[in-house]
Structure formats: C-alpha cells, structure tokens
C-alpha cells in the first residue's frame, strides 16, 4: 500500500500556516550550497544507485531531475500551500528512464528519491522550526508539509517505476524480436554477416554447436522449460547459450559444445521433453543441428511416445525411412506380421537382442532376466513373424525401430 492510501482526506490549510509554507519555500529556493550538496549526496547513495553514481553523464541527469522535482514541489506550494503536488515527468526524465532500462537497471534505481526525501525532510524541519514558536502552528505546518512531500514522492516514484518496467518489457520484446529475426536469417542461409548476426544474437557462430528443442507437456509451467535448460547447461559444463522462444511451451536452444548431458535434467522435470541434434561446427553446424533437433522433436511428439529425451543419432534411420508414413506402415505390417501387436516384453526382448549383437547372454544381462526367458521370448517372436528373425534380421530390426518411433 502506498503512503497516499494512509493519509486523511485533504483539509484546508489555515492562512497562517499557508504563509509559513510560502516563507519556508523561499528558504528552500535560496538554500545554501552545502544543503544542495547534502541532497545530492543522499540522492546518489541509494541501494540501487551504484551504477548510476559511477556514470557521470547519467548521474548529472539524475541530479537535474531531483532538482527539478524539488523546484516543482516548491512552485506548486507557493501558489497553493500544502496541496497535493501533481507528478511532473519531463521528457528528460522519460529519456533517463529509457536509458536506465537499456543499461539493465530496474526500479531499484529510483531509491535516490527515497534517500533524498529523508534528507530533504530533515532540512525542511530545520526551516520550519525557525519559522514559528507557536506549537499549534508548528504542528499543522509539519503535518501538512509532511503529507504533501510524502505524497509527491510516492506518486513520482510509482509513475517512474511503471515507466521503467514498461521500458524494460519493451526492450526485452525488441531484443527478442531482433534475436528471432537474426536466427531466421541464419537458418535460411541468408547473406547476413557473422558480425551482425553475432551482435544481434549475442552468441558466437564459430566453434561447436549443439541444438536442442525443449517442449513442455500440456499444463507444464514455462519456467520448467527454463529450469530444464539451466540444468542441462550445468550438466554439460557450459555457461553460454542462445535461446529463442518458439511458442508458449517450446524453446529453441543452442549450446556452444559438442557434448550435451540431458538425461538427469529431464528426469528432474518430467513435464519437459528434449530433442537434441547432432553436434556441428560454425554456421552450417548451427543450422544443421537445429533442423535435426526439429526432426527429433516431431518424433518425440507422437501421442504414444513415452520418451522424454532423444538424440538425432538415435532416430537418423527412422527419420530417413519414415518420410512416407503409408509406406512405413506397410513395411512394418508386412515385415512383423503378428509380432507388431505382441506383448511389450516380447518386443523389448527382440530390440535388446539386436542391440546386444544378437547374443542371448548379453541380452539377459541388459534385461536383468534369465537367458532361458530370453530364449522363450525370441521363440515367441519367431512364431509371430512371417519369416523367422534369423532369416530376415535387418528388415525386422528396422521395422521394430519404425514401430517404436512412428507407427
């Protein structure tokens, strides 16, 4: 709640106090240099002002704005003592706010108004105590001016805070739009120079790249995508990245590394799927890895898919053979026959047997089961296949991959 919500309804200022306010305002306008120096010192000592205080041009503008606000408050009170002073946002103040946003500052940089207010109030009280010895007049004088000053600072800081947050949001949107445009040009192979692209992307195009596409399941909070990305970066030993928001629940990511570790990160965020392209070099690698990641993303998006992370190396053959969906379906059906609808344990056993180089003992070890169980399941698979697996191993292995990914 702002101070203004706590103040009582305005009451008329008595003529005697109004004249005291005018007299005090004249003293403010004729303040000695040491008072101005103390106010300036207070204005630059706020918690969010460190960066401003160290930037001479920016500091000069900040002090001019503070001085202008003081003059504005004084001018209004000369005409209407004790009145609620309207906020006066000058064009210089608006430019200052935009400059703060461009330099990464947020509303904490407005602390200067609060710290300067404290010093200004102390100096104003010194003036007030020199104006009258009448306790009733002094009480009214302090109450009226305290309310006027606090309201003016509250209103000013609130309006400037809204301006700076708006400027930050607009800047972020502009930066993201530029980044998306630069990424699109690179992906399209447009003749954009490396210097211009890297400037807009804030990401180097030389060296290794691995592209990822992070997708959230329906209902997954967007921050889970960001958290997953950060976990992958940490596990992969990288601190830089390029991120483009592709949709409400999809991120395109590039990491400057040829080795990406994603399994643990995905297990910690079960609502996120991660598609990973092959590592590539320079601009061509940047493009190729991304298109590969998009291919994996399409396969991961299958309604029946339970996979949370997959790499292009795992799906290269499936991507090549699965372009014609009807042909792929026909190939799987004719090759596997009744095995296509077999129990999942039988299908898993045959896949593990192929992965183990068609060795039964190694298959049993991978599946944590007895070799006789493996033999029984392989026999069951042979009984369901149109042709025994050992007579047609390549076709059966490919058909099982297609079945697992796209059919």
């Amino acid at each position: 709640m702002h101070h203004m919500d706590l103040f009582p309804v305005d009451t008329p200022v008595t003529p005697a106090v109004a004249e005291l306010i005018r007299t005090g305002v004249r003293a403010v306008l004729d303040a000695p240099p040491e008072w101005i120096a103390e106010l300036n010192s207070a204005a630059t000592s706020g918690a969010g002002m460190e960066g401003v205080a160290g930037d001479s041009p920016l500091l000069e503008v900040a002090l001019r704005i503070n001085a202008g606000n003081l003059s504005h408050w004084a001018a209004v009170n000369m005409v209407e003592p004790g009145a609620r002073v309207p906020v006066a946002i000058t064009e210089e103040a608006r430019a200052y706010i935009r400059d703060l946003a461009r330099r990464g500052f947020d509303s904490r940089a407005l602390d200067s108004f609060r710290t300067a207010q404290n010093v200004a109030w102390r100096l104003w009280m010194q003036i007030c105590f020199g104006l009258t010895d009448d306790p009733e007049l002094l009480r009214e004088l302090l109450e009226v001016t305290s309310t006027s000053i606090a309201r003016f600072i509250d209103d000013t800081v609130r309006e400037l805070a809204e301006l700076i947050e708006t400027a930050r949001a607009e800047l972020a949107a502009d930066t993201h739009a530029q980044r998306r445009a630069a990424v699109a040009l690179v992906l399209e192979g447009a003749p954009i120079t490396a210097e211009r692209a890297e400037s807009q992307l804030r990401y180097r195009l030389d060296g290794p790249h691995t592209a990822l596409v992070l997708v959230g399941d329906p209902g997954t909070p967007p921050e889970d995508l960001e958290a997953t990305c950060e976990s992958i970066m940490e596990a992969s030993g990288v601190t830089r990245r390029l991120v483009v928001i592709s949709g409400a629940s999809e991120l395109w990511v590039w990491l400057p590394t040829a080795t990406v570790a994603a399994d643990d990160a995905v297990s910690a965020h079960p609502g996120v799927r991660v598609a990973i392209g092959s590592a590539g070099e320079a601009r061509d690698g940047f493009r190729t890895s991304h298109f590969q990641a998009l291919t994996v993303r399409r396969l991961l998006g299958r309604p029946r898919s339970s996979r949370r992370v997959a790499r292009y190396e795992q799906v290269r053959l499936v991507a090549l053979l699965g372009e014609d969906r009807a042909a792929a379906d026909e190939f799987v059906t004719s090759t596997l026959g009744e095995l296509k609808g077999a129990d999942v344990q039988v299908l898993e056993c045959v896949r593990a047997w192929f992965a183990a180089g068609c060795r039964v003992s190694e298959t049993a070890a991978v599946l944590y089961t007895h070799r006789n169980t493996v033999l029984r399941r392989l026999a069951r698979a042979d009984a369901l296949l149109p042709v025994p697996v050992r007579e047609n191993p390549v076709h059966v292995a490919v058909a099982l991959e297609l079945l697992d990914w796209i059919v």
Side-chain angles (χ1 to χ4, degrees):
M1 181 179 290
H2 299 292
H3 288 303
M4 59 174 287
D5 300 316
L6 300 175
F7 297 138
V9 177
D10 291 335
T11 55
V13 179
T14 60
V17 169
E19 190 55 38
L20 289 175
I21 292 174
R22 291 190 179 97
T23 303
V25 165
R26 294 188 190 98
V28 168
L29 296 176
D30 294 332
E34 56 267 24
W35 281 25
I36 303 301
E38 189 173 355
L39 282 170
N40 286 344
S41 176
T44 59
S45 62
M49 287 292 291
E50 298 90 345
V52 175
D55 188 318
S56 295
L58 206 59
L59 178 60
E60 290 177 8
V61 176
L63 295 180
R64 280 202 303 273
I65 292 172
N66 273 312
N69 283 329
L70 178 61
S71 298
H72 175 64
W73 180 86
V76 171
N77 274 273
M78 284 292 289
V79 176
E80 193 176 355
R84 182 168 189 162
V85 178
V87 177
I89 305 297
T90 64
E91 282 306 311
E92 182 175 47
R94 294 180 186 277
Y96 171 73
I97 289 298
R98 290 192 293 270
D99 207 0
L100 287 180
R102 280 194 294 269
R103 300 183 191 210
F105 291 95
D106 56 25
S107 55
R108 290 174 297 177
L110 304 176
D111 284 351
S112 61
F113 293 95
R114 300 293 187 199
T115 52
Q117 175 189 354
N118 295 334
V119 173
W121 175 245
R122 179 167 51 81
L123 297 176
W124 174 253
M125 283 196 298
Q126 291 180 28
I127 293 174
C128 291
F129 279 101
L131 293 176
T132 181
D133 293 329
D134 185 315
E136 288 303 315
L137 289 179
L138 184 60
R139 180 187 61 79
E140 182 183 347
L141 173 61
L142 293 176
E143 285 183 354
V144 168
T145 53
S146 172
T147 298
S148 178
I149 292 172
R151 278 176 163 173
F152 176 60
I153 295 298
D154 270 0
D155 292 348
T156 299
V157 170
R158 183 173 62 253
E159 188 159 335
L160 289 177
E162 291 174 357
L163 287 175
I164 197 171
E165 293 308 317
T166 298
R168 283 167 58 84
E170 290 174 350
L171 183 64
D174 289 346
T175 300
H176 182 70
Q178 290 179 355
R179 189 184 304 131
R180 279 188 63 94
V183 164
L185 290 174
V186 173
L187 293 177
E188 292 166 5
I192 179 175
T193 66
E195 291 78 9
R196 179 187 166 201
E198 290 174 355
S199 174
Q200 294 186 359
L201 296 175
R202 295 188 179 182
Y203 179 87
R204 294 184 63 86
L205 290 176
D206 58 356
H209 307 285
T210 301
L212 304 85
V213 177
L214 279 63
V215 184
D217 291 342
T220 299
E223 51 266 29
D224 280 12
L225 296 174
E226 176 65 23
T228 303
C229 183
E230 291 179 355
S231 297
I232 292 173
M233 291 174 64
E234 182 178 358
S236 305
V238 297
T239 57
R240 294 186 300 109
R241 65 178 184 179
L242 169 61
V243 176
V244 171
I245 300 172
S246 178
S249 59
E250 181 169 319
L251 297 180
W252 293 353
V253 181
W254 285 263
L255 300 180
T257 179
T259 306
V260 170
D263 293 314
D264 290 342
V266 172
S267 64
H269 299 91
V272 179
R273 303 187 187 212
V274 180
I276 307 173
S278 300
E281 286 285 330
R283 188 181 298 211
D284 285 344
F286 180 94
R287 298 175 64 250
T288 301
S289 185
H290 174 67
F291 291 130
Q292 291 174 347
L294 289 178
T295 296
V296 179
R297 181 253 185 276
R298 286 194 294 272
L299 295 174
L300 276 180
R302 261 191 336 124
R304 290 193 304 151
S305 177
S306 61
R307 285 184 175 86
R308 313 308 302 178
V309 58
R311 300 170 185 272
Y312 184 71
E313 291 82 359
Q314 296 174 268
V315 303
R316 190 189 303 269
L317 181 62
V318 172
L320 177 65
L321 298 180
E323 288 295 328
D324 187 333
R325 178 62 184 273
D329 286 349
E330 192 279 328
F331 174 77
V332 169
T333 299
S334 62
T335 301
L336 298 183
E338 295 180 11
L339 181 60
K340 179 180 177 181
D343 185 275
V344 65
Q345 290 183 327
V346 174
L347 293 171
E348 181 185 40
C349 181
V350 180
R351 291 192 184 98
W353 180 68
F354 278 120
C358 301
R359 292 185 288 270
V360 174
S361 296
E362 285 82 347
T363 304
V366 169
L367 297 177
Y368 298 102
T369 189
H370 195 276
R371 69 186 311 275
N372 288 341
T373 302
V374 173
L375 289 172
R376 284 198 302 272
R377 290 174 180 170
L378 290 175
R380 175 60 179 161
D382 268 348
L384 296 173
L385 283 167
V387 178
V389 65
R390 292 183 184 274
E391 296 181 18
N392 195 24
V394 174
H395 283 197
V396 172
V398 171
L400 286 171
E401 280 294 294
L402 289 170
L403 177 65
D404 193 34
W405 283 101
I406 65 173
V407 175

